[in-house]
Amino acid sequence: MPDCNYYMSIISELVDGEASPQQAEQLHAHMEICPECRRVYSAFRGISDAMPEGLVEPPAKLAAGIMFIINAQKEIGKTPAPQKIQKLHILRYLSAAACLVLAIFGAARFGLLDNLLFPSSGNADNYALRAGADSAESAENDAAAPFQENQLIIYDDYVQEESALDEGSGSVTENQPMKFTELTGLLNSNFASNSLFVESEMAQLQEAAAISLYEGKFVPGSSEYAGRAPLADALDKKSRETLFELMTADALMELSDVSAENLDIFCTIVFTGVKVQNSSETRDLIVTVWIYDDILYFRLSSEPPIIYRSDTFPIDFQEFFDGLVNAKR
Amino acid sequence: MTREEELYLVQEAQGGDTASFEKLVLSNQTRVYNLALRMVGNEEDASDMSQEAFIKAYNSIDGFRGDSRFSVWLYRLTTNVCLDFLRSKSRKQHDSLTYQDDEDDGRELDIPDERFSPDTLAEKKELREAVRRGLEKLPDDYKVILLLREIEGLSYEEISLVLSLETGTVKSRIFRARKKLCGILLSDRNFSYVPSSDNSKGV
């Protein structure tokens, strides 16, 4: 005759509906005559009934954050392939004037680089359309045109001094098209400290009529944000220099619509009255700043939305921002 | 979502389609988040754990063969992520703490009393509160198995897949977890109402 130890072990199963019909029958029969087992059963039932009920809704940004990181991983490659970083000799081929093509920010820049990298990918049409729209750029475009036909050739000139990647696995072979993200990283590394902007852009931006910082999201000229005052404006020269030092680009990512809408924008920087090369026009440039998962991201006002992962520590940027805010008070 | 739909999305995700994975995230995030929340006890850590679990799922999605439901696989990742987190947290606090208490502590089950069978609404509420407090005090392995069984409603077989245990071990561990929980409740000074059916118990 089984003793209480045996019955005790099936009590749990009965509570969970996992006992076989025979076991259930046995146990019920036993409990009629055994108060201890009855009390244990009733206690187990009691705590089961008293378990927390109802599912909590996860935070709205959970899914967006997850997809953001997954897409970021996808863009920048999950396992970084160690390669010697080589100076890209594209500059040797481009005339000084043509260099300025690279300095055009926004969609045109993106399109241009695409075309250089993937000459047969059909981006040529896009490029031609964009380029044709602005006659000031056409001279530079002609200089760059011959390279639309060729593969990009990479010369083994020198290794970047502070390579973040491991040494020692194969150099990039000639005629191998580079990933766009690697290219931009290289281009940026040609200039001061991985800056988000190339040199000539930076010169324009530093001379911008005004640089204003807004907390969170801000859209200039929209009625929704009409009443908003900047948290800091009229940055002095030192602040501007610091700002540009902080705005570094480590890698590029694309955004899905979900991610873009749901993530918190830390601040928005508006550069107004930025002179355009070789033109009397001025433009505004809007840079959105995200901090997510302890990484800083910058997005330039361009279509499609591209954001740059930065290697600046978020805390450094936050301190800079706080410093400006406090100075204004 | 049916199992076929799920498998389809998984296959697409295996091919690199992140939009399909996003659908899987949206469909499973509540379960994952709730398990994590009960495991780690606060929203911020629960969000981190959920995120880590889903990202691990994406990165190792080639390894999902469809033998079980995707949610079971996710529960497994979530459980492991949470247990690792709790272990490293407790390691920081107590160097030589052994969190695992799978041994029978040798005591007879303290026979629970009538407080476990509440009659009135107030008594029920008090038991609920006591159970909630008691769950938090359980050793991690007992806590997770009760959460999977009671909150997520998994069967013994599903639990054995999530925790990589034999079904027999699942049964005995659930029993010991409940026994331990009862013990905790009995020594909970705040679990102190006088049951309407018995005058001799008290503060």
Side-chain angles (χ1 to χ4, degrees), chain A residues 99-110 112-113 184 187-188 191-192 194-209 211 240 244 247 249 271 273-277 283-287 300-302 308:
Chain A
C99 273
L100 297 176
V101 170
L102 296 174
I104 296 166
F105 43 86
R109 164 176 166 170
F110 185 56
L112 168 66
L113 293 177
T184 316
L187 284 172
N188 284 331
F191 307 100
N194 269 16
S195 167
L196 202 54
F197 307 106
V198 297
E199 251 177 53
S200 39
E201 270 176 337
M202 209 134 70
Q204 311 294 345
L205 291 167
Q206 286 191 317
E207 302 298 309
I211 303 181
R240 289 187 181 207
F244 287 111
M247 292 172 79
F271 299 82
V274 182
K275 290 208 194 75
V276 179
Q277 276 289 332
R283 293 192 205 199
D284 291 351
L285 174 70
I286 300 166
V287 176
L300 275 52
S301 48
S302 64
Y308 298 84

Side-chain angles (χ1 to χ4, degrees), chain A residues 1 4 7 27-38:
Chain A
M1 171 101 156
C4 281
Y7 288 112
L27 184 49
H28 279 299
H30 173 77
M31 287 196 294
E32 302 231 328
I33 53 167
C34 178
E36 283 82 19
C37 284
R38 200 161 53 233

Side-chain angles (χ1 to χ4, degrees), chain A residues 26 45 96 101 111 166 275:
Chain A
Q26 263 186 317
R45 278 287 302 271
V101 170
D166 295 335
K275 290 208 194 75

Side-chain angles (χ1 to χ4, degrees), chain A residues 302-324:
Chain A
S302 64
E303 288 296 327
I306 302 288
I307 68 176
Y308 298 84
R309 189 186 69 178
S310 175
D311 53 10
T312 296
F313 289 118
I315 190 163
D316 291 336
F317 192 87
Q318 279 164 322
E319 278 177 9
F320 166 75
F321 184 79
D322 291 339
L324 290 177

Side-chain angles (χ1 to χ4, degrees), chain A residues 162-174:
Chain A
E162 357 159 72
S163 166
L165 305 181
D166 295 335
E167 302 267 327
S169 82
S171 42
V172 178
T173 55
E174 287 193 34

Side-chain angles (χ1 to χ4, degrees), chain B residues 113 115 126 186 188-195 198-203:
Chain B
D113 55 37
R115 281 176 290 168
E126 184 143 359
L186 286 170
D188 180 349
R189 268 183 242 111
N190 291 325
F191 183 43
S192 62
Y193 66 85
V194 177
D198 187 332
N199 294 334
S200 60
K201 303 272 192 311
V203 169

Side-chain angles (χ1 to χ4, degrees), chain A residues 8 12-13 16 18 39-40 42-43 46 48 50-52 55-56 59 66-67 70-71 73-74 258 292, chain B residues 16 18 21-22 34 47 51 54-55 59 109 111-113 116-117 128 149-151 155-156 171 174-175 178:
Chain A
M8 287 271 178
S12 223
E13 293 173 55
D16 294 327
E18 299 254 0
R39 286 172 79 140
V40 169
S42 136
S48 181
M51 283 282 170
L55 294 176
V56 177
I66 290 165
M67 293 319 298
I70 285 175
N71 283 319
Q73 273 180 175
K74 196 176 159 193
V258 174
Y292 185 78
Chain B
T18 56
F21 189 77
E22 188 162 13
N34 275 272
S47 289
Q51 183 175 282
F54 275 112
I55 290 171
N59 288 340
L109 169 64
I111 303 292
D113 55 37
F116 290 94
S117 317
R128 234 178 241 291
R149 170 74 278 281
E150 301 274 17
I151 313 272
S155 70
Y156 284 6
K171 289 180 196 174
I174 288 182
F175 173 78
R178 286 186 168 128

Side-chain angles (χ1 to χ4, degrees), chain B residues 160-190:
Chain B
S160 73
L161 289 173
V162 171
L163 297 177
S164 300
L165 296 172
E166 303 284 326
T167 331
T169 317
V170 172
K171 289 180 196 174
S172 61
R173 194 178 287 186
I174 288 182
F175 173 78
R176 277 201 285 273
R178 286 186 168 128
K179 176 174 150 184
K180 183 96 187 170
L181 182 59
C182 285
I184 291 173
L185 259 49
L186 286 170
S187 38
D188 180 349
R189 268 183 242 111
N190 291 325

